[in-house]
Amino acid sequence: MILEEQRFLHEDLERLEQGIADRVAEDPRNIQERLYRDHQIAGFLSRIQNQSERLLSIYTDAEGSRQREIQAISTGDPFDEFYKHIDEIKDFHRRYPNEPAENLEKAYKKKAPGETDLMAAEVVNMFTGEEAFGRFLDLTTLHEEYLNLVGVKRLTYLQYLDAFDIFVPPQCPIKRVDKATDQYFGYVGRLASYLESFLKRTRPLEDLEKIFRDFDTGFEKAWASQDLPGWAPEVKVAGPQTSTEGIWCPDCEKLFTNDNVYKNHLTGKKHLRNAEARGGREDSGTNGHVNGGSRGNNTALRLKERAIAEREFRVRKLSYVLSEVKSNTRVNVERKQGMTERERQMELDALFAETADVNLAGHGEGEDSDSDEDEKIYNPLKLPLAWDGKPIPYWLYKLHGLGVEFPCEICGNFVYMGRRAFDKHFTEARHIYGLKCLGITNTSLFREITGIEDALKLWDKIQRDKRKERVQGDSVVEMEDTRGNVMPEKIYHE
């Protein structure tokens, strides 16, 4: 039956390719449908790889069974082999009477309306409500774990979103000694694992293994060249380090701008404890060639620091890859903080309704037209749409003054809705490009000016004033009195 298995694998591969082509041609309506499609395609690609490996092993025919089956069919009586295979099939179904037949044509086709789809349920269960199907990060649990670390300052969730991928002072107040604890090691490991998991769930079609290998290679190079910030080998420094910014205390890892404050802190218990701990670490590293135990302890500590530094490096790289999601998360948290409880509940209900629509919606043309009619949004006031495609609340519309129009002639008579967008546009590329087209180079002096004529008048006045100051500076006659003081001629005569 090896030839039958070979034929089955070829058919399976062709139907998998057709299933992928059908799904690539689709245009997902929202992010949930896109994730559902991408995860389906990723599953098909994985099955193609497995089936291709099986097919390759059949063609390789290391045991020679395929060649023997071909010889048995070609040299002997074909009817004997035919009836032999029929007897094997009948015997199999006699032993397993309820064995379902695998229908490849139906296996890779899209589910009809009303049929249960396990992949859709898996995609829904992949994300928490805060993640909103991969739109945002959910770091609430890790934020609470961060607040319980030794030596950290209390940060709000918004502040934590800005600083969770920064591991050097002043954003990260955790000292190098405290980073060597098991609590911090576990926290950084869980943070890196979450970001990796989020990347795998939201980008199933990307070659993430190659990205992770590049991370490992980059870390090995940085560790070998000692370029990792905060993890260079400690060098014994005698006394404080004075710079233009102040006095740096290497024991406490703190900068003092006042000399008296630094001298007073030298007698504190905290400084003495830190100096003693740092001296012990340096002695263990310096005397390692004499004391084998000290050398072993120093090596173990360095290995642990390497593991922690590797996780911090991975978190930084993953955060850079997810930079857009990170910024969207911050905007979403700020937006939710300005919402009432009722609005949050309405948004949650809309998300659940969207999930139900995706699971139950049909893909026929008639059903699409019905769903489009059901999804028409009533928006008589022409309010701006939020991230979910629905109008924002009217009180928020009035609060930000989005109904007030601010035209700008310099920007090509573009109309900005709301004072906030109008104030922001003076530093944007459109307005700056319009001023440069008028020959104006110093754009910082033209804030709140939107008319071309006003801008040209102000620029001419600025140019005239500059020329006048230049002429006056060149025509000033300097006089010197009996004491050697130099002053203009007008003041000298007065």
Side-chain angles (χ1 to χ4, degrees), residues 305-334:
E305 289 182 345
R306 175 190 171 90
I308 297 173
E310 191 272 335
R311 283 158 175 76
E312 291 184 352
F313 181 85
R314 186 168 287 251
V315 168
R316 282 195 294 267
K317 291 296 183 180
L318 289 169
S319 176
Y320 176 76
V321 174
L322 297 169
S323 56
E324 184 177 356
V325 180
K326 177 183 171 183
S327 61
N328 293 340
T329 303
R330 196 183 192 288
V331 173
N332 181 57
V333 172
E334 288 181 336

Side-chain angles (χ1 to χ4, degrees), residues 185-216:
F185 181 78
Y187 159 74
V188 180
R190 282 183 285 275
L191 179 58
S193 299
Y194 171 77
L195 295 177
E196 284 186 14
S197 170
F198 186 87
L199 199 62
K200 291 177 181 177
R201 286 177 288 146
T202 54
R203 304 181 184 182
L205 296 181
E206 292 189 15
D207 189 3
L208 298 180
E209 295 301 326
K210 180 179 181 299
I211 296 177
F212 296 153
R213 286 196 300 270
D214 292 341
F215 291 169
D216 296 336

Side-chain angles (χ1 to χ4, degrees), residues 446 454-469:
F446 290 80
D454 297 337
L456 292 175
K457 288 182 179 179
L458 179 58
W459 182 246
D460 292 340
K461 184 177 183 303
I462 292 173
Q463 295 298 103
R464 288 197 305 271
D465 292 343
K466 284 185 178 180
R467 287 193 294 268
K468 186 177 180 181
E469 290 177 1

Side-chain angles (χ1 to χ4, degrees), residues 29-83:
R29 295 179 299 175
N30 49 44
I31 187 172
Q32 186 179 355
E33 288 191 356
R34 181 185 63 79
L35 285 172
Y36 170 63
R37 181 201 66 180
D38 291 351
H39 279 281
Q40 268 195 325
I41 294 176
F44 290 169
L45 291 174
S46 178
R47 183 171 174 83
I48 285 177
Q49 187 174 3
N50 296 334
Q51 299 293 65
S52 299
E53 291 175 357
R54 288 176 57 190
L55 193 59
L56 182 62
S57 65
I58 291 176
Y59 278 112
T60 304
D61 196 17
E63 299 178 356
S65 55
R66 177 173 176 270
Q67 187 64 28
R68 287 194 297 270
E69 185 173 335
I70 293 175
Q71 288 179 355
I73 294 174
S74 58
T75 59
D77 188 358
F79 287 102
D80 290 341
E81 290 295 326
F82 174 74
Y83 287 116

Side-chain angles (χ1 to χ4, degrees), residues 162-271:
D162 292 333
F164 75 87
D165 56 344
I166 303 176
F167 301 99
V168 293
Q171 289 87 350
C172 181
I174 305 176
K175 298 180 180 178
R176 184 168 178 171
V177 182
D178 298 330
K179 286 185 177 182
T181 59
D182 295 337
Q183 186 182 13
Y184 181 80
F185 181 78
Y187 159 74
V188 180
R190 282 183 285 275
L191 179 58
S193 299
Y194 171 77
L195 295 177
E196 284 186 14
S197 170
F198 186 87
L199 199 62
K200 291 177 181 177
R201 286 177 288 146
T202 54
R203 304 181 184 182
L205 296 181
E206 292 189 15
D207 189 3
L208 298 180
E209 295 301 326
K210 180 179 181 299
I211 296 177
F212 296 153
R213 286 196 300 270
D214 292 341
F215 291 169
D216 296 336
T217 305
F219 171 75
E220 294 294 338
K221 292 181 180 178
W223 182 263
S225 58
Q226 300 179 1
D227 287 339
L228 289 175
W231 292 106
E234 291 187 335
V235 181
K236 192 168 184 178
V237 181
Q241 303 176 22
T242 305
S243 64
T244 56
E245 298 179 357
I247 304 174
W248 173 260
C249 179
D251 298 325
C252 301
E253 298 181 3
K254 191 174 181 181
L255 184 67
F256 294 88
T257 56
N258 190 292
D259 188 29
N260 293 329
V261 176
Y262 169 74
K263 291 179 180 178
N264 290 331
H265 115 280
L266 291 177
T267 57
K269 294 181 180 180
K270 188 174 180 181
H271 172 79

